[in-house]
């Protein structure tokens, strides 16, 4: 938990800051007023830019988190075959050791394993998060009020989070499988191969049961950090 907890504040601040700054830049560029109400096109562009930036920061963090979470087999030297029941220490001793081990063995490409899948998750994901959020906030704000009520913000955030993660869960599965791959064996050749193997082995049975709960928790985190 330590690595995500240490970086989630920076991550969310950068994402929301980039989204807001891009909206203001587009407002000034297209309408001559940075405070002008953003159009649907403006929000789409701002959401996409925020998605790209989130991948640059979030991919290494997610990689380390997933590698540590899936660490169930013991550590062994490179020339000794791993045995699931053999005693020993885990491959990674902690988040910093995990990061440097991946960097030393796989280079920058290893640290950014799963980037394509994360782009396919986050760029459209933030579009279907920020746009519904703005639409629902606007819809729930009475005429004459400058800003929506706290309840409206919570409601809009919850609905937007459910829509976003409901649509992005399949690519999140692919991204997680790619990032977990490579510790003990390489099962996937890339994003497309992971998608094809997952579909061939499991069809469309990507688990949707935790989506509502996960969406709620993810939204609470974002609202808390806003």
């Amino acid at each position: 938990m330590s690595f995500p907890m240490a970086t989630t504040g920076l991550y969310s601040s950068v994402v929301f800051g980039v989204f807001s700054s891009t909206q203001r830049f587009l407002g000034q560029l297209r309408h001559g007023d940075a405070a002008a109400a953003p159009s649907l096109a403006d929000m789409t562009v701002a959401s996409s830019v925020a998605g790209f930036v989130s991948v640059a920061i979030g991919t290494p963090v997610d990689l380390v988190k997933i590698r540590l979470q899936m660490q169930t087999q013991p550590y062994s030297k490179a020339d000794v075959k791993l045995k699931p029941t053999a005693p020993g220490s885990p491959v990674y001793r902690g988040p910093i050791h995990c990061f440097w081990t991946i960097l030393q063995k796989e280079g920058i490409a290893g640290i950014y394993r799963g980037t394509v899948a994360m782009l396919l998750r986050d760029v459209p994901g933030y579009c279907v998060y920020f746009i519904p959020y703005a639409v629902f906030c606007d819809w729930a704000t009475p005429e004459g009020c400058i800003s929506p009520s706290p309840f409206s913000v919570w409601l809009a955030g919850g609905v937007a989070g459910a829509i976003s993660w409901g649509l992005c869960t399949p690519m999140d599965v692919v991204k997680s499988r790619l990032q977990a791959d490579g510790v003990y064996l390489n099962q996937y050749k890339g994003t497309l191969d992971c998608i094809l193997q997952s579909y061939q082995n499991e069809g469309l049975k990507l688990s949707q049961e935790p989506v509502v709960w996960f969406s709620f928790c993810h939204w609470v985190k974002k609202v808390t950090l806003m």
Side-chain angles (χ1 to χ4, degrees):
M1 289 178 61
S2 58
F3 203 41
M5 287 181 66
T7 56
T8 188
L10 172 65
Y11 175 83
S12 296
S13 297
V14 169
V15 169
F16 279 91
V18 167
F19 174 75
S20 299
S21 297
T22 305
Q23 275 196 329
R24 289 194 295 269
F25 172 77
L26 292 173
Q28 183 65 44
L29 182 67
R30 298 182 60 186
H31 311 292
D33 182 7
S39 65
L40 180 61
D42 293 342
M43 286 191 287
T44 301
V45 172
S47 300
S48 299
V49 173
F52 274 102
V53 173
S54 75
V55 171
I57 300 173
T59 301
V61 175
D62 266 18
L63 177 67
V64 170
K65 178 191 71 173
I66 288 171
R67 288 286 179 89
L68 291 173
Q69 287 178 333
M70 56 82 65
Q71 187 167 253
T72 57
Q73 296 191 51
Y75 171 76
S76 179
K77 293 181 181 179
D79 58 345
V80 179
K81 186 177 180 180
L82 288 171
K83 296 180 180 179
T85 56
S89 301
V91 175
Y92 307 117
R93 295 192 295 269
I96 302 301
H97 179 255
C98 178
F99 182 88
W100 283 114
T101 300
I102 297 170
L103 186 62
Q104 289 171 355
K105 291 184 176 180
E106 305 176 48
I108 297 296
I111 289 295
Y112 281 91
R113 178 187 288 266
T115 296
V116 174
M118 200 160 179
L119 280 169
L120 294 174
R121 185 198 74 173
D122 282 8
V123 173
Y126 276 111
C127 288
V128 294
Y129 177 80
F130 282 119
I131 293 174
Y133 173 77
V135 169
F136 280 108
C137 276
D138 185 63
W139 174 75
T141 303
E143 284 189 33
C145 292
I146 300 175
S147 61
S149 66
F151 176 77
S152 298
V153 171
W154 278 67
L155 179 62
V159 173
I163 293 172
S164 175
W165 279 104
L167 294 174
C168 294
T169 294
M171 283 313 302
D172 186 62
V173 171
V174 172
K175 186 270 305 180
S176 298
R177 288 181 175 179
L178 285 169
Q179 291 183 326
D181 194 35
V183 181
Y184 306 106
L185 53 86
N186 288 307
Q187 182 178 351
Y188 307 113
K189 297 176 182 178
T191 303
L192 181 60
D193 182 53
C194 182
I195 293 171
L196 292 175
Q197 284 196 48
S198 299
Y199 179 75
Q200 289 169 357
N201 295 333
E202 304 170 55
L204 295 175
K205 294 190 301 179
L206 296 175
S207 177
Q208 293 295 327
E209 293 180 4
V211 168
V212 174
W213 171 246
F214 181 77
S215 302
F216 175 77
C217 294
H218 188 75
W219 153 66
V220 167
K221 181 190 77 172
K222 285 186 176 294
V223 170
T224 303
L225 292 169
M226 285 179 67

